[in-house]
Amino acid sequence: MPYSEDMRTLAEIAIALAGFAGVVLAIRSRRAIRDQKVNQARLRELLVTSFIVVFFAFFPPLMTGVLGDSPWAWRGPMLIFALAHLAALLSFMLAVGKEGSSDFSLAEWLSLPGAAVVIFLQFATAFGNFPDYVPEIYLLALLWFLLIAAMNFGVLLIRDDGSETETPG
């Protein structure tokens, strides 16, 4: 199966990123996360994207074992992955959008066109387009999700929302 070792490595990185985020956020002031709903949405998105990478990294090898060399061994997981990608994106946008569009970071705004391209490629390959590039597009989508998880981690750590500082008495 092409890229099975690469997908396994991405799954391991996703697990490490989620675990490291948990450790760092536990050490950091909990109030900064708890008090701001946008940060809660980012933390949830980080964990969801990490777990999606883990799940979907192992899905094509499982389907290949069940279906053999059928095109649906890749296209089926790609379709389900595309739907999960779209659902995760909409869920995050709705969660952050409730707080106002000013709460989106620049990186989040810049990632939207990339997400649209990746989702388009996922659906296109799931419905039979680009048949020679299905494993590569699947790997691209996994990498994209890992990038989104890392971006959310960075935004959570770097962005100063002012909730950790107290005004002197």
Side-chain angles (χ1 to χ4, degrees), residues 41 44-45 48 85-97:
R44 184 177 60 246
E45 181 74 9
V48 166
H85 190 169
L86 190 59
L89 177 66
L90 293 175
S91 171
F92 178 72
M93 290 182 71
L94 289 173
V96 174

Side-chain angles (χ1 to χ4, degrees), residues 46-96:
L46 185 153
L47 295 174
V48 166
T49 53
S50 295
F51 292 129
I52 284 175
V53 169
V54 171
F55 177 77
F56 284 103
F58 294 109
F59 201 28
L62 174 69
M63 294 301 289
T64 301
V66 172
L67 298 175
D69 288 334
S70 168
W72 283 102
W74 279 97
R75 288 173 53 195
M78 181 72 83
L79 179 61
I80 296 168
F81 191 10
L83 292 170
H85 190 169
L86 190 59
L89 177 66
L90 293 175
S91 171
F92 178 72
M93 290 182 71
L94 289 173
V96 174

Side-chain angles (χ1 to χ4, degrees), residues 2-82:
Y3 301 110
S4 62
E5 286 299 316
D6 296 330
M7 289 190 291
R8 187 173 297 126
T9 301
L10 290 177
E12 291 170 2
I13 293 170
I15 290 170
L17 182 63
F20 186 65
V23 169
V24 170
L25 292 173
I27 293 170
R28 189 175 176 211
S29 170
R30 291 183 185 167
R31 199 176 87 206
I33 298 298
R34 189 177 54 240
D35 290 345
Q36 192 178 20
K37 292 182 181 184
V38 174
N39 282 343
Q40 289 176 341
R42 284 189 182 101
L43 180 59
R44 184 177 60 246
E45 181 74 9
L46 185 153
L47 295 174
V48 166
T49 53
S50 295
F51 292 129
I52 284 175
V53 169
V54 171
F55 177 77
F56 284 103
F58 294 109
F59 201 28
L62 174 69
M63 294 301 289
T64 301
V66 172
L67 298 175
D69 288 334
S70 168
W72 283 102
W74 279 97
R75 288 173 53 195
M78 181 72 83
L79 179 61
I80 296 168
F81 191 10

Side-chain angles (χ1 to χ4, degrees), residues 85 111-124 130 137 140 144:
H85 190 169
S111 71
L112 290 177
V117 169
V118 172
I119 290 171
F120 169 77
L121 288 172
Q122 285 179 290
F123 278 114
F130 316 117
I137 292 172
L140 172 71
W144 180 258

